[in-house]
Amino acid sequence: MNLTELHRSFTENFGRAPELIVRAPGRVNLLGEHVDYNAGPVLPVAIDRAVYIAAAPNTDGCTRLHALDLSQQVDLRPERLDARLDAAGNPLPGWACYPAGVAWVLQQEEFSTPGVFAAYTSDVPIGSGLSSSAAVEVGFAALWQALGGWSLERLALAQLCQRAENQYVGVSCGLMDQFASACGVEDHALYFDTRSLEWEPAPIPPGIALVIADSGVRRSLTHSGYNERRAACWQAVRELQAYLPGVTSLRDVAATELAAYSPYLSEIPRKRAEHVVKEIARVGSTLSALQRGDRQALGALMYAGHNSLRNLYEVSTPELDTLVELTRHLPGCIGARLTGAGFGGCTINLVELDHAQDFIIGLRDGYQQVTGRQSQVYLCHASQGVHFL
Ligand code: ADP
Ligand code: MG
């Protein structure tokens, strides 16, 4: 659905024209996987796929949501949010918990969330790991900020959205997704230190395309597998504390220290910790490779990251491995790796812009030949964070 259609749908639905349109992007992580819950740095990119919310104030205090992609509508009243009920007293449908959760958190913090008519659509694929959920949250937070007459820094806005997803929706995500949707910078990746919350934009060298390939596969163990990985990292920290008492997370462990003590660790925590400690180092190296425009180094770091997720962290799938292997024979590919938590989802590829169209065709065809499956492949640009059109 394009912006003209969004405008028309809003007007047909609410009998008036929208006054505001907010755009909040999805994101892809260039490198730094499974390090956010180990206090490490990540390198996400806000992409040019986004949620678009058309809106106008509603003076009776009620918020009317129309999710155009789902053909669903719900009314929210402030006093019903705590009980997760709609205005009529029915349980909120799952999709409505994302905007409702944002309103709920904002109310807790005593930021005004005036009534609004809102119709929204998105071209971030849902459930592929490109953070369609964070885009919805950040878009609504920015909308209420504009209508409520208060102002917060983008990072603080992202933190409230994370809280909405953690506490209202009930998904234990880190801050990376909401951060990227809020703070994206055009043509840049974002180096984000999840411990200090400091961040800086890192330029994507000119002439490099971001290509995202969706394996089309989602494993059912995503949730349990994720929790197991988190637990194994904690186990590694506890075991390491016998030798390194100051350590509170794997962020505190140097590669040389891990090498020295790894013979004393249990097997699974040792493998998981080796991935995390080296991945944290790779994020730092990737940041400097971006700053130098060093394509060879970028590519080597991405492939190394993928191998580590496959062999040490064990979150890859045969389909993701196939997508990455195919790129080794495609001209113009700089590097490729699985992105997101794993167990399915997408790969991220850096490709020379001149070769991007052929690369996309080659990857799609190769994937179909090997797996018999279709892959959605998207050419993306690094885009700015949430803003009004
Ligand atoms: P993702 O990896 O895409 O963030 P999640 O499972 O975290 O996947 O979030 C997907 C959920 O976010 C959807 O099930 C829906 O509830 C909400 N959502 C995402 N996009 C839209 C949309 N276009 N319209 C309404 N709700 C959406
Ligand atoms: Mg999500």
PDB file of all heavy atoms in Angstrom, residues 31 41 255 275-286 301:
ATOM      1  N   LEU A  31      26.107  -6.815  12.300  1.00  0.00           N
ATOM      2  CA  LEU A  31      26.957  -7.747  13.047  1.00  0.00           C
ATOM      3  C   LEU A  31      26.744  -7.539  14.545  1.00  0.00           C
ATOM      4  O   LEU A  31      26.268  -6.492  14.956  1.00  0.00           O
ATOM      5  CB  LEU A  31      28.441  -7.537  12.704  1.00  0.00           C
ATOM      6  CG  LEU A  31      29.282  -8.808  12.847  1.00  0.00           C
ATOM      7  CD1 LEU A  31      30.023  -9.121  11.564  1.00  0.00           C
ATOM      8  CD2 LEU A  31      30.277  -8.690  13.980  1.00  0.00           C
ATOM      9  N   PRO A  41      28.334  -4.655  22.354  1.00  0.00           N
ATOM     10  CA  PRO A  41      27.891  -3.694  21.339  1.00  0.00           C
ATOM     11  C   PRO A  41      27.282  -4.403  20.125  1.00  0.00           C
ATOM     12  O   PRO A  41      27.631  -5.541  19.823  1.00  0.00           O
ATOM     13  CB  PRO A  41      29.207  -3.014  20.936  1.00  0.00           C
ATOM     14  CG  PRO A  41      30.241  -4.076  21.138  1.00  0.00           C
ATOM     15  CD  PRO A  41      29.769  -4.991  22.234  1.00  0.00           C
ATOM     16  N   ALA A 255      39.408 -12.065  25.206  1.00  0.00           N
ATOM     17  CA  ALA A 255      39.608 -13.323  24.472  1.00  0.00           C
ATOM     18  C   ALA A 255      40.759 -14.135  25.079  1.00  0.00           C
ATOM     19  O   ALA A 255      40.679 -15.372  25.161  1.00  0.00           O
ATOM     20  CB  ALA A 255      39.880 -13.020  23.001  1.00  0.00           C
ATOM     21  N   HIS A 275      31.774 -17.873  21.274  1.00  0.00           N
ATOM     22  CA  HIS A 275      31.093 -17.058  20.253  1.00  0.00           C
ATOM     23  C   HIS A 275      30.946 -15.618  20.739  1.00  0.00           C
ATOM     24  O   HIS A 275      31.302 -14.672  20.036  1.00  0.00           O
ATOM     25  CB  HIS A 275      29.711 -17.612  19.900  1.00  0.00           C
ATOM     26  CG  HIS A 275      28.877 -16.596  19.165  1.00  0.00           C
ATOM     27  ND1 HIS A 275      29.102 -16.277  17.842  1.00  0.00           N
ATOM     28  CD2 HIS A 275      27.883 -15.756  19.591  1.00  0.00           C
ATOM     29  CE1 HIS A 275      28.278 -15.300  17.483  1.00  0.00           C
ATOM     30  NE2 HIS A 275      27.524 -14.959  18.520  1.00  0.00           N
ATOM     31  N   VAL A 276      30.408 -15.445  21.932  1.00  0.00           N
ATOM     32  CA  VAL A 276      30.056 -14.096  22.401  1.00  0.00           C
ATOM     33  C   VAL A 276      31.305 -13.221  22.529  1.00  0.00           C
ATOM     34  O   VAL A 276      31.331 -12.080  22.034  1.00  0.00           O
ATOM     35  CB  VAL A 276      29.297 -14.172  23.747  1.00  0.00           C
ATOM     36  CG1 VAL A 276      29.123 -12.776  24.348  1.00  0.00           C
ATOM     37  CG2 VAL A 276      27.932 -14.833  23.541  1.00  0.00           C
ATOM     38  N   VAL A 277      32.347 -13.752  23.150  1.00  0.00           N
ATOM     39  CA  VAL A 277      33.552 -12.944  23.380  1.00  0.00           C
ATOM     40  C   VAL A 277      34.179 -12.536  22.041  1.00  0.00           C
ATOM     41  O   VAL A 277      34.558 -11.378  21.840  1.00  0.00           O
ATOM     42  CB  VAL A 277      34.543 -13.715  24.279  1.00  0.00           C
ATOM     43  CG1 VAL A 277      35.901 -13.039  24.311  1.00  0.00           C
ATOM     44  CG2 VAL A 277      33.967 -13.843  25.688  1.00  0.00           C
ATOM     45  N   LYS A 278      34.248 -13.480  21.104  1.00  0.00           N
ATOM     46  CA  LYS A 278      34.856 -13.148  19.806  1.00  0.00           C
ATOM     47  C   LYS A 278      33.932 -12.273  18.965  1.00  0.00           C
ATOM     48  O   LYS A 278      34.397 -11.436  18.194  1.00  0.00           O
ATOM     49  CB  LYS A 278      35.237 -14.422  19.056  1.00  0.00           C
ATOM     50  CG  LYS A 278      36.397 -15.137  19.742  1.00  0.00           C
ATOM     51  CD  LYS A 278      36.864 -16.340  18.965  1.00  0.00           C
ATOM     52  CE  LYS A 278      38.083 -16.955  19.642  1.00  0.00           C
ATOM     53  NZ  LYS A 278      38.401 -18.286  19.072  1.00  0.00           N
ATOM     54  N   GLU A 279      32.620 -12.461  19.113  1.00  0.00           N
ATOM     55  CA  GLU A 279      31.670 -11.627  18.360  1.00  0.00           C
ATOM     56  C   GLU A 279      31.763 -10.165  18.825  1.00  0.00           C
ATOM     57  O   GLU A 279      31.690  -9.244  18.015  1.00  0.00           O
ATOM     58  CB  GLU A 279      30.242 -12.174  18.534  1.00  0.00           C
ATOM     59  CG  GLU A 279      29.167 -11.446  17.726  1.00  0.00           C
ATOM     60  CD  GLU A 279      29.040 -11.906  16.268  1.00  0.00           C
ATOM     61  OE1 GLU A 279      29.926 -12.628  15.769  1.00  0.00           O
ATOM     62  OE2 GLU A 279      28.035 -11.528  15.625  1.00  0.00           O
ATOM     63  N   ILE A 280      31.941  -9.986  20.124  1.00  0.00           N
ATOM     64  CA  ILE A 280      32.098  -8.621  20.649  1.00  0.00           C
ATOM     65  C   ILE A 280      33.342  -7.974  20.018  1.00  0.00           C
ATOM     66  O   ILE A 280      33.299  -6.815  19.590  1.00  0.00           O
ATOM     67  CB  ILE A 280      32.158  -8.633  22.190  1.00  0.00           C
ATOM     68  CG1 ILE A 280      30.762  -8.945  22.759  1.00  0.00           C
ATOM     69  CG2 ILE A 280      32.686  -7.302  22.740  1.00  0.00           C
ATOM     70  CD1 ILE A 280      30.707  -9.184  24.252  1.00  0.00           C
ATOM     71  N   ALA A 281      34.415  -8.730  19.919  1.00  0.00           N
ATOM     72  CA  ALA A 281      35.628  -8.199  19.279  1.00  0.00           C
ATOM     73  C   ALA A 281      35.365  -7.906  17.802  1.00  0.00           C
ATOM     74  O   ALA A 281      35.830  -6.901  17.257  1.00  0.00           O
ATOM     75  CB  ALA A 281      36.773  -9.192  19.428  1.00  0.00           C
ATOM     76  N   ARG A 282      34.590  -8.789  17.152  1.00  0.00           N
ATOM     77  CA  ARG A 282      34.290  -8.572  15.726  1.00  0.00           C
ATOM     78  C   ARG A 282      33.490  -7.293  15.506  1.00  0.00           C
ATOM     79  O   ARG A 282      33.658  -6.626  14.487  1.00  0.00           O
ATOM     80  CB  ARG A 282      33.500  -9.770  15.153  1.00  0.00           C
ATOM     81  CG  ARG A 282      34.384 -10.886  14.611  1.00  0.00           C
ATOM     82  CD  ARG A 282      33.568 -11.926  13.846  1.00  0.00           C
ATOM     83  NE  ARG A 282      32.685 -12.676  14.724  1.00  0.00           N
ATOM     84  CZ  ARG A 282      33.007 -13.812  15.340  1.00  0.00           C
ATOM     85  NH1 ARG A 282      34.199 -14.349  15.159  1.00  0.00           N
ATOM     86  NH2 ARG A 282      32.144 -14.421  16.122  1.00  0.00           N
ATOM     87  N   VAL A 283      32.610  -6.944  16.445  1.00  0.00           N
ATOM     88  CA  VAL A 283      31.839  -5.703  16.277  1.00  0.00           C
ATOM     89  C   VAL A 283      32.789  -4.508  16.245  1.00  0.00           C
ATOM     90  O   VAL A 283      32.666  -3.627  15.386  1.00  0.00           O
ATOM     91  CB  VAL A 283      30.784  -5.535  17.389  1.00  0.00           C
ATOM     92  CG1 VAL A 283      30.080  -4.181  17.257  1.00  0.00           C
ATOM     93  CG2 VAL A 283      29.758  -6.650  17.322  1.00  0.00           C
ATOM     94  N   GLY A 284      33.755  -4.493  17.162  1.00  0.00           N
ATOM     95  CA  GLY A 284      34.737  -3.408  17.170  1.00  0.00           C
ATOM     96  C   GLY A 284      35.527  -3.365  15.867  1.00  0.00           C
ATOM     97  O   GLY A 284      35.735  -2.299  15.280  1.00  0.00           O
ATOM     98  N   SER A 285      35.941  -4.540  15.375  1.00  0.00           N
ATOM     99  CA  SER A 285      36.702  -4.588  14.120  1.00  0.00           C
ATOM    100  C   SER A 285      35.839  -4.152  12.941  1.00  0.00           C
ATOM    101  O   SER A 285      36.334  -3.519  11.999  1.00  0.00           O
ATOM    102  CB  SER A 285      37.207  -6.006  13.853  1.00  0.00           C
ATOM    103  OG  SER A 285      37.950  -6.467  14.947  1.00  0.00           O
ATOM    104  N   THR A 286      34.548  -4.500  12.989  1.00  0.00           N
ATOM    105  CA  THR A 286      33.653  -4.116  11.896  1.00  0.00           C
ATOM    106  C   THR A 286      33.464  -2.608  11.868  1.00  0.00           C
ATOM    107  O   THR A 286      33.432  -1.994  10.791  1.00  0.00           O
ATOM    108  CB  THR A 286      32.294  -4.832  12.026  1.00  0.00           C
ATOM    109  OG1 THR A 286      32.536  -6.239  12.072  1.00  0.00           O
ATOM    110  CG2 THR A 286      31.382  -4.530  10.850  1.00  0.00           C
ATOM    111  N   LEU A 301      34.857 -10.568   8.275  1.00  0.00           N
ATOM    112  CA  LEU A 301      34.215 -10.518   9.594  1.00  0.00           C
ATOM    113  C   LEU A 301      32.800 -11.094   9.528  1.00  0.00           C
ATOM    114  O   LEU A 301      32.357 -11.808  10.438  1.00  0.00           O
ATOM    115  CB  LEU A 301      34.176  -9.069  10.091  1.00  0.00           C
ATOM    116  CG  LEU A 301      35.538  -8.523  10.541  1.00  0.00           C
ATOM    117  CD1 LEU A 301      35.556  -6.994  10.523  1.00  0.00           C
ATOM    118  CD2 LEU A 301      35.876  -9.055  11.940  1.00  0.00           C
TER     119      LEU A 301
END
